[in-house]
Amino acid sequence: MRIAEFCRRSGLPRDTVRFYERRGLLRPRVGSNRYRDFSEADLERVRLIRIGQRLGFGLAEIKRLG
């Protein structure tokens, strides 16, 4: 799925998704057209990131765990 659908389904703004990508928390497949292709596994990863944040983990800690 492209970023617009991923944002809609995850509830995250586009800037947050891109921030997570820059931090290495999300690694969508990038096609030859340079479009990001997010998967169901990426949606699950976002759910786990949010749970970790609610439990008090920082993004660096979440990245190390995942």
Side-chain angles (χ1 to χ4, degrees), residues 3-4 7-8 17-18 36-37 47 49 51 54 64:
I3 193 166
C7 290
R8 183 182 58 77
V17 172
R18 288 184 176 147
R36 294 167 180 84
D37 184 26
R47 289 183 193 105
I49 291 168
I51 289 169
R54 282 194 296 268
R64 280 195 303 269

Side-chain angles (χ1 to χ4, degrees), residues 3-4 6-21 26 38 46 50:
I3 193 166
F6 184 79
C7 290
R8 183 182 58 77
R9 291 183 61 189
S10 69
L12 294 175
R14 189 176 301 240
D15 288 341
T16 301
V17 172
R18 288 184 176 147
F19 176 78
Y20 285 173
E21 282 184 82
L26 290 174
F38 293 91
V46 164
R50 292 173 126 181

Side-chain angles (χ1 to χ4, degrees), residues 20-34:
Y20 285 173
E21 282 184 82
R22 285 192 306 272
R23 295 289 183 173
L25 293 163
L26 290 174
R27 293 185 197 101
R29 191 176 55 143
V30 179
S32 60
N33 58 6
R34 298 180 61 190

Side-chain angles (χ1 to χ4, degrees), residues 34-48:
R34 298 180 61 190
Y35 288 165
R36 294 167 180 84
D37 184 26
F38 293 91
S39 67
E40 294 295 323
D42 292 317
L43 283 173
E44 184 59 29
R45 179 78 177 140
V46 164
R47 289 183 193 105
L48 294 174

